[in-house]
């Protein structure tokens, strides 16, 4: 009996299609929304090296980088670091600090729809990027 159940489960698992991990690479993702704030022309971007599971980009005034792991539905950022140049624009400095806090050691549900990457927490869009 156990053999038939095990065999049945193996067949079911083998026949269940695996959800493919969306391709994060090949784009430079420009920040379009930071929590509730929409950004029209932001210098902030992120790009992913899918082979090395690393990311880098511009946090506003400083360069940032770190590692990430992706599943079909979840994206985790780790070891986020940045350079430490001062921003002359106070609001840009605040935005950059907020972005780095939101990325460092956080896991988000994510979706890619066309050229839009959304990072969500509890169903709410926390960060949205546009690919170019």
């Amino acid at each position: 009996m156990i053999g038939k159940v095990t065999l049945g489960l193996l067949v079911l698992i083998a026949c269940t299609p695996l959800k493919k991990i969306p391709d994060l690479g090949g784009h430079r993702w420009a920040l379009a929304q930071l929590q509730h704030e929409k950004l029209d022309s932001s210098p902030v971007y992120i790009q992913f090296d899918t082979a090395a599971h690393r990311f880098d980009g511009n946090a506003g005034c400083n360069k940032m980088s770190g590692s990430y792991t992706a599943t079909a539905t979840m994206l985790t950022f780790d070891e986020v670091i940045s350079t430490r140049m001062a921003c002359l624009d106070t609001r840009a400095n605040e935005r950059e600090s907020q972005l780095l806090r939101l990325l460092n050691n956080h896991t988000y549900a994510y979706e890619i729809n066309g050229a839009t990457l959304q990072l969500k927490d509890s169903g709410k869009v926390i960060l949205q990027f546009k690919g170019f």
Side-chain angles (χ1 to χ4, degrees):
M1 175 91 167
I2 292 177
K4 289 181 181 180
V5 170
T6 303
L7 181 60
L9 285 173
L10 288 174
V11 169
L12 179 63
I13 291 169
C15 293
T16 303
L18 296 175
K19 190 170 179 187
K20 184 180 173 190
I21 296 174
D23 186 13
L24 294 163
H27 286 292
R28 183 177 274 194
W29 300 95
L31 185 63
Q33 182 179 331
L34 177 64
Q35 292 189 317
H36 303 294
E37 180 184 3
K38 298 232 186 243
L39 306 170
D40 292 326
S41 59
S42 170
V44 179
Y45 71 86
I46 191 169
Q47 53 193 16
F48 297 89
D49 178 341
T50 55
H53 299 283
R54 304 273 311 153
F55 72 89
D56 63 46
N58 183 326
C61 297
N62 291 285
K63 294 180 187 229
M64 65 176 171
S65 64
S67 63
Y68 77 93
T69 28
T71 66
T73 59
M74 304 300 285
L75 185 58
T76 301
F77 295 90
D78 289 309
E79 304 168 359
V80 177
I81 59 172
S82 72
T83 56
R84 292 287 182 197
M85 294 185 298
C87 291
L88 296 177
D89 179 354
T90 304
R91 182 63 189 124
N93 197 27
E94 291 168 0
R95 211 177 287 126
E96 178 176 277
S97 294
Q98 183 180 11
L99 172 68
L100 293 171
R101 277 193 311 273
L102 288 170
L103 290 178
N104 195 32
N105 299 321
H106 276 81
T107 299
Y108 294 100
Y110 77 108
E111 288 180 11
I112 297 176
N113 293 319
T116 300
L117 166 63
Q118 291 185 329
L119 305 182
K120 298 178 180 181
D121 188 11
S122 301
K124 295 179 184 175
V125 176
I126 304 300
L127 297 163
Q128 181 170 292
F129 297 88
K130 297 287 185 186
F132 64 98

